[in-house]
Amino acid sequence: MRLEPVTLAEESLLAAVRQGEPWTGEFHRKFLRRRPKGPAPDVHQGQDADAKSKTAASGASGKHDAERTVSADLIRKLILQDNDRMARGNPSREYDVTRKTRAEKDWLQISARGLILEGESKTDKTAIPFRPLIIGSLDLSAVEFPRPLKIVNCDFEDSLILDEAHLKSLNLSGSEFTQEEPEGALISGGQVRIDANLCFNKLKVAGINLYGIQIGGTLELSGARISSWSPNEHAIEMDGATISGTVAFADKCVVDGGISLVRARIGGTLNFISARICHKHSAIDAAHLRVGGSVYFQAEFSSKGELSFSKAVIQGDLIANGATFRADHGLCFNGDSITIDGRLHLQEKFRSFGTIRMIAARVQNEFSISDSILESRGPFERAISAERLDLKNSLYIRGATTITGQTDFGDAHINGNVHIYDSELKPQNARNEGVVLSFSGAQIVGDLNLADPYFSRWQSNQGILGGTDLRDCSARTLCDGHSKPPALHRAVNRISQSALKRSIISSAIERPVLLDGFVYDRISRQAATAPASRIAWLKRQPKQFLRGDGFAPQPWDQLIHVYHKMGMPRQARQIAIAKEDHVVAHGGLRGLARIWRAFLGWSVRYGYSATRPLALSMFLILFGWMSFAAADQAGWMTESPPIVSIQRDAPGAMGAVPPFNAFMYSVDVFLPLAEFGQQNAWRPGETGGPIHLQDSIPLGQNWIPDGAWGLDTILTHWVRGGGLKTLQWLMIAVGWIASALIAANLSGVMKQD
């Protein structure tokens, strides 16, 4: 950039510097007398009256304007003159050039300590703070200045250019760049080298563009006010920067236009403490950033626009305690493929409005969300999108956290536990529809702890108030509630078909669980292990997984396997029977197949219980015993065909008819393969007398009254009508079927697991 011409007074100053003459107050007054009065005409030429008045009033009154102005070209020449002096003379020689103003206060010094141009802060208690005004563009391109450069509490009328400059340190604290509507960043330069610190505390400027800058110390922007020179450009652009120390945006620093740190390298920590950063698209673009320490968003930090840390590497923690991330649409934080070697904390009233996306991110320590509010933007947006997250420790969502929108950890690998409790996860819509928590395809090495209100609190303001997707997920232990239901739960169970119960049941239906492929080793003893609760849990799956050809048997089989593994075979059988009942009712069976399965369910509970056929067998045997005993007492039982009678008349013959025994006769008729000789020797006859149960039943006289409550008459008519033969054939048929079912049940042929 073209520099302003050097005046005769400035040439005298340079000559005095070459001779080592100190710049005293007397010399300064001579210098002012030799300068043109008022501002330099070539600087203000073409400006209107308003611009002149702003320049004259930017820190001091008009009468002091000439005393406070310094040519930018003069500062450059002073630096170059100092470099020449060191090159030609003794570098260790001490010299001091001082320029003084009101009350002989030093405000421009160049010495072995560096070049210092210092005014008074606007926060000072002085009525009118003295602020030097630098006229023209300060071009330090390719300048090497091995001493500190300190220009603090000054006003810049134009820009500062640092292309390929090499400085010991640069301090612009409290300074202000007053140019309006600049055509580019007012502080710019490429491949700048700062050996020590770069300090922009309380700086006010439109645009900082220092791509590829190398800073050997720290970068400080505490209390700074940085704006963008163009709506489409970032206010601070330091792409490819290398900073050895800490970078601090603190003390209510405001960056209106965003920050770009693409592929930058920071050796220390990156602090955003009580800062405010906004941009219509990208508040911070830190893709491929590498930070040697931690990144902090704390003390009421706020951002508007996307914070992009995609593929960044943070060797410490990422802490966002008390911060606010906001984006009107889409992402408020982009951490795709980010690597965090420490912790990830979103705590202490953290707020996010937009999506926090961390696809394929890697976090070495815990991921904790506590006492925070996360809200997605739009009805289909996610509040947290962390698919394929690689978490080496545990995940916590706790402490009165509220998440509105879907929380997605699909295909994540979590090498610890998942704890979600004392929090509210709800969908964006008011009807609590849709999946709000997804661990689909996730691998959880530890325990999965979910605060499911269906099992635990039954409170409307806590828990997972929407669907949960656990398809193809794996975990060691499942804990989704408490084994002891609260008082409200017990009260609901006592209110049969009440409006409250129907309301809670419908609420549970609106909170489906997707369980197909979910694998777990055990259920926590703190959770609900009762089969009735787990059957209701399985039936909360969407209809497409419960009905017709889409029925998914894996969740049922997995629960049966877990009960067996936990040493709870009775509960496992109950789940297996419930599964078969559900298949018969809703599994798409048709015709004879459905009738047969229903019969097996009624009789032997699909091979899991022989109680019913055994009970039926005992009942028929006992009923037959009583019936045949009463019939024999009345003379209705006769011997079998005559050939058997002839054999019986032969004394000592092998085929002698055994005496009639009603109980053994009933057993012989019922059991198909048993042979006790009773059925071959005796049969129901055609004639007999009336039946008297009191006389025919053992101990009948003690507990059966005379007339047997009218049963004698009924049994007599039943026997005369051929009832004994009907009973005999019924017992034979049922005996074959019951024996087959009991044998199949004992052999395990019909069991499905």
Side-chain angles (χ1 to χ4, degrees):
M1 183 177 290
R2 181 181 178 184
L3 300 178
E4 300 294 339
V6 182
T7 64
L8 180 62
E10 293 169 346
E11 288 289 354
S12 301
L13 171 63
L14 294 176
V17 170
R18 283 193 290 270
Q19 298 173 6
E21 180 179 350
W23 194 351
T24 62
E26 179 62 28
F27 186 86
H28 169 62
R29 284 188 287 272
K30 294 180 181 179
F31 171 72
L32 290 178
R33 284 195 295 271
R34 298 180 62 179
R35 289 188 60 186
K37 295 183 180 180
D42 55 344
V43 175
H44 295 290
Q45 186 176 3
Q47 293 183 349
D48 56 358
D50 292 338
K52 290 182 181 180
S53 62
K54 290 181 181 179
T55 303
S58 61
S61 60
K63 63 180 181 180
H64 295 130
D65 188 66
E67 296 182 2
R68 74 187 189 95
T69 56
V70 178
S71 170
D73 193 33
L74 172 62
I75 296 176
R76 174 183 171 88
K77 292 185 181 301
L78 282 173
I79 294 174
L80 295 177
Q81 181 67 49
D82 182 62
N83 290 342
D84 293 341
R85 183 181 184 85
M86 293 182 63
R88 293 194 304 269
N90 185 2
S92 62
R93 178 182 176 185
E94 294 291 339
Y95 64 96
D96 190 350
V97 177
T98 303
R99 180 174 177 180
K100 300 184 178 182
T101 182
R102 297 174 304 177
E104 296 295 316
K105 180 179 179 180
D106 300 341
W107 60 277
L108 190 152
Q109 301 177 5
I110 181 168
S111 65
R113 295 177 298 171
L115 189 147
I116 301 175
L117 182 60
E118 183 173 6
E120 297 172 349
S121 172
K122 289 184 177 181
T123 60
D124 291 345
K125 295 182 180 180
T126 53
I128 301 179
F130 175 76
R131 296 176 61 84
L133 175 63
I134 299 176
I135 303 298
S137 177
L138 179 54
D139 190 348
L140 300 181
S141 299
V143 168
E144 294 190 12
F145 189 52
R147 305 180 190 275
L149 178 58
K150 182 177 180 181
I151 306 177
V152 299
N153 296 325
C154 297
D155 293 333
F156 286 79
E157 190 184 53
D158 209 325
S159 60
L160 171 61
I161 303 174
L162 298 170
D163 283 324
E164 299 183 359
H166 184 188
L167 308 176
K168 175 70 175 180
S169 65
L170 176 61
N171 188 347
L172 299 180
S173 296
S175 296
E176 180 178 348
F177 287 73
T178 60
Q179 182 178 356
E180 298 181 357
E181 299 181 359
E183 297 180 357
L186 293 181
I187 299 179
S188 62
Q191 307 303 320
V192 182
R193 292 176 59 189
I194 307 291
D195 294 336
N197 300 331
L198 177 59
C199 186
F200 288 157
N201 293 336
K202 297 183 179 181
L203 174 68
K204 186 176 181 181
V205 63
I208 298 177
N209 189 345
L210 298 174
Y211 58 91
I213 187 173
Q214 300 181 33
I215 302 175
T218 62
L219 172 61
E220 300 179 12
L221 293 99
S222 298
R225 300 291 187 271
I226 314 297
S227 60
S228 177
W229 65 274
S230 171
N232 298 322
E233 300 293 335
H234 285 97
I236 299 177
E237 295 187 0
M238 291 188 175
D239 296 346
T242 301
I243 304 170
S244 300
T246 298
V247 176
F249 295 84
D251 194 17
K252 298 183 179 181
C253 172
V254 177
V255 181
D256 187 4
I259 303 170
S260 180
L261 295 171
V262 177
R263 298 188 182 278
R265 300 292 183 268
I266 299 174
T269 61
L270 176 58
N271 297 323
F272 296 93
I273 301 176
S274 69
R276 183 171 63 86
I277 302 174
C278 58
H279 189 270
K280 63 180 182 179
H281 298 302
S282 177
I284 299 178
D285 187 358
H288 300 275
L289 171 70
R290 180 177 291 271
V291 181
S294 299
V295 177
Y296 295 98
F297 299 95
Q298 291 181 306
E300 299 181 358
F301 167 85
S302 65
S303 65
K304 185 177 182 181
E306 178 182 335
L307 303 179
S308 177
F309 284 78
S310 61
K311 298 183 179 180
V313 176
I314 301 174
Q315 296 179 345
D317 303 328
L318 176 57
I319 307 296
N321 293 343
T324 300
F325 297 170
R326 185 184 299 274
D328 293 335
H329 302 284
L331 304 180
C332 65
F333 182 85
N334 181 2
D336 292 350
S337 300
I338 190 175
T339 298
I340 302 173
D341 292 339
R343 303 166 298 168
L344 174 57
H345 280 186
L346 309 176
Q347 300 182 146
E348 299 177 11
K349 300 188 182 303
F350 169 80
R351 303 289 186 269
S352 70
F353 302 93
T355 301
I356 296 178
R357 195 175 73 184
M358 299 183 66
I359 298 177
R362 186 176 68 88
V363 181
Q364 285 292 109
N365 213 312
E366 68 180 24
F367 184 177
S368 177
I369 304 175
S370 177
D371 190 20
S372 302
I373 295 178
L374 289 75
E375 181 179 333
S376 64
R377 293 297 190 184
F380 304 106
E381 295 289 347
R382 293 180 173 91
I384 300 177
S385 179
E387 298 94 320
R388 304 194 305 277
L389 170 70
D390 185 7
L391 180 60
K392 301 301 183 182
N393 208 300
S394 297
L395 170 66
Y396 298 92
I397 301 178
R398 55 189 173 181
T401 294
T402 300
I403 301 179
T404 304
Q406 189 179 39
T407 301
D408 193 350
F409 291 95
D411 297 317
H413 182 274
I414 301 175
N415 198 33
N417 302 321
V418 174
H419 297 277
I420 302 177
Y421 57 90
D422 293 336
S423 299
E424 177 182 300
L425 281 70
K426 59 182 180 180
Q428 188 74 18
N429 58 78
R431 294 187 58 190
N432 290 346
E433 294 179 342
V435 172
V436 298
L437 178 63
S438 175
F439 284 97
S440 175
Q443 299 179 13
I444 303 171
V445 177
D447 303 338
L448 177 59
N449 297 273
L450 305 177
D452 193 331
Y454 189 79
F455 292 129
S456 55
R457 287 174 173 76
W458 289 86
Q459 295 181 4
S460 61
N461 61 342
Q462 285 189 343
I464 303 171
L465 306 181
T468 304
D469 189 354
L470 299 176
R471 289 176 296 176
D472 299 319
C473 175
S474 63
R476 181 178 61 189
T477 304
L478 172 64
C479 181
D480 51 6
H482 302 287
S483 58
K484 294 183 179 180
L488 177 59
H489 191 176
R490 293 193 294 269
V492 170
N493 289 335
R494 290 195 297 264
I495 304 175
S496 176
Q497 301 299 326
S498 66
L500 178 60
K501 186 174 182 179
R502 290 194 299 270
S503 174
I504 294 179
I505 291 175
S506 63
S507 177
I509 293 174
E510 293 176 358
R511 301 168 185 170
V513 289
L514 285 76
L515 300 172
D516 190 22
F518 180 36
V519 178
Y520 48 100
D521 295 335
R522 60 187 300 272
I523 300 175
S524 173
R525 296 294 182 179
Q526 297 179 352
T529 57
S533 297
R534 287 298 154 188
I535 292 171
W537 176 59
L538 291 171
K539 290 184 178 180
R540 286 171 55 195
Q541 299 181 81
K543 292 182 179 180
Q544 61 265 30
F545 296 101
L546 294 174
R547 298 179 181 275
D549 296 335
F551 174 75
Q554 189 275 337
W556 303 78
D557 296 337
Q558 175 65 31
L559 183 57
I560 295 170
H561 171 74
V562 168
Y563 274 133
H564 278 300
K565 193 173 182 179
M566 294 174 61
M568 304 171 70
R570 182 176 60 84
Q571 288 82 350
R573 286 194 299 270
Q574 293 182 39
I575 300 299
I577 293 171
K579 171 193 169 185
E580 296 297 333
D581 286 341
H582 188 83
V583 170
V584 171
H586 306 288
L589 295 177
R590 298 290 186 272
L592 294 177
R594 183 174 185 180
I595 295 174
W596 174 244
R597 294 300 295 176
F599 171 72
L600 292 179
W602 176 85
S603 58
V604 290
R605 305 307 285 150
Y606 312 102
Y608 292 99
S609 175
T611 302
R612 290 185 178 181
L614 284 174
L616 179 61
S617 301
M618 294 300 297
F619 171 77
L620 286 177
I621 290 174
L622 292 175
F623 182 76
W625 175 28
M626 297 172 58
S627 300
F628 293 128
D632 181 62
Q633 185 71 22
W636 288 94
M637 297 301 298
T638 62
E639 298 177 356
S640 287
I643 185 172
V644 178
S645 299
I646 293 173
Q647 292 175 352
R648 183 188 63 175
D649 294 336
M654 292 294 295
V657 177
F660 181 79
N661 187 308
F663 178 76
M664 295 305 300
Y665 185 85
S666 179
V667 173
D668 200 1
V669 170
F670 186 83
L671 296 180
L673 301 179
E675 183 59 52
F676 299 103
Q678 291 288 320
Q679 186 178 4
N680 293 330
W682 300 90
R683 64 183 178 84
E686 300 296 335
T687 60
I691 294 176
H692 297 282
L693 291 177
Q694 189 181 43
D695 299 330
S696 58
I697 301 296
L699 302 178
Q701 295 180 354
N702 297 332
W703 54 276
I704 297 179
D706 187 20
W709 307 288
L711 292 178
D712 290 348
T713 304
I714 296 174
L715 288 176
T716 300
H717 288 289
W718 176 68
V719 171
R720 288 175 179 174
L724 289 178
K725 293 182 179 180
T726 303
L727 175 62
Q728 187 177 23
W729 286 109
L730 176 64
M731 291 179 65
I732 292 173
V734 174
W736 276 101
I737 296 174
S739 299
L741 291 175
I742 293 173
N745 179 81
L746 295 177
S747 63
V749 172
M750 290 183 293
K751 292 183 180 179
Q752 302 297 317
D753 59 330

